[in-house]
Amino acid sequence: MIKLNKPDLTKFPPRSLRVRLGGYAHLPRLIDKARAHLRGKAGDYHYNCPLDEHFFEFTGINHKKALAAIKAAKSDTEVLAWVEKNTKRQPSEIAAWSHWVEQHGPGGKDGHEWISGRIKALAPKRTDLRSFSELLDLDDYVSYGGKG
């Protein structure tokens, strides 16, 4: 059974980047990674990875302070309340940023080659994937026994 308050990312992936909390894409995934990191159960996942850094840059929140807040919080709702208290972003900005995060893909030749190589390694017959969020979902699925 998956326990969201005590995720074990050695057994289950974090929530999808597309799952939203308070309108923020990626926030539930970031919370899962932070909670697992705090418990020594992060597996191959990293708290404050480049995607997490995008969230922190957008919100203006310090990753160390966020980690402390996540550690102290008893629920996702408490984490969201802390995030809302510590950022000045408006709902329209959050919606636009979340849409960008969900649709963001490689920007140039090197990025296209990299994502193409990852897709070929995970699911060689897939030709429909374009964004990093789609790649992350596929990677999570395949990493835990799914067939690409």
Side-chain angles (χ1 to χ4, degrees):
M1 171 181 237
I2 298 173
K3 295 183 179 182
L4 293 179
N5 62 338
K6 294 181 181 179
D8 182 348
L9 303 185
T10 66
K11 295 181 180 176
F12 302 99
R15 286 174 277 184
S16 171
L17 176 149
R18 297 184 232 191
V19 175
R20 293 185 183 204
L21 178 63
Y24 290 97
H26 183 60
L27 180 56
R29 184 180 184 89
L30 184 149
I31 293 169
D32 289 350
K33 293 190 311 172
R35 287 178 177 151
H37 168 80
L38 289 164
R39 296 181 62 239
K41 299 284 186 176
D44 291 335
Y45 294 91
H46 303 282
Y47 176 73
N48 200 34
C49 72
L51 188 56
D52 298 347
E53 289 174 355
H54 280 296
F55 175 83
F56 295 127
E57 181 180 335
F58 171 71
T59 59
I61 291 174
N62 175 282
H63 72 92
K64 290 179 183 176
K65 290 181 181 179
L67 188 62
I70 292 167
K71 182 178 183 179
K74 294 182 176 122
S75 68
D76 286 358
T77 303
E78 288 184 14
V79 174
L80 176 60
W82 184 87
V83 167
E84 289 174 335
K85 181 179 175 186
N86 287 279
T87 189
K88 300 202 183 325
R89 293 298 186 169
Q90 299 300 310
S92 60
E93 294 173 300
I94 295 165
W97 180 83
S98 292
H99 178 75
W100 174 81
V101 166
E102 290 175 346
Q103 302 303 315
H104 181 65
K109 179 181 177 237
D110 292 341
H112 284 282
E113 288 175 358
W114 178 83
I115 201 169
S116 176
R118 290 295 305 141
I119 293 168
K120 285 178 184 172
L122 296 168
K125 295 181 181 178
R126 295 285 301 266
T127 60
D128 60 317
L129 305 173
R130 299 288 180 260
S131 69
F132 291 120
S133 64
E134 292 170 333
L135 177 61
L136 280 174
D137 285 346
L138 174 65
D139 193 16
D140 289 346
Y141 181 71
V142 171
S143 294
Y144 290 89
K147 303 290 182 205

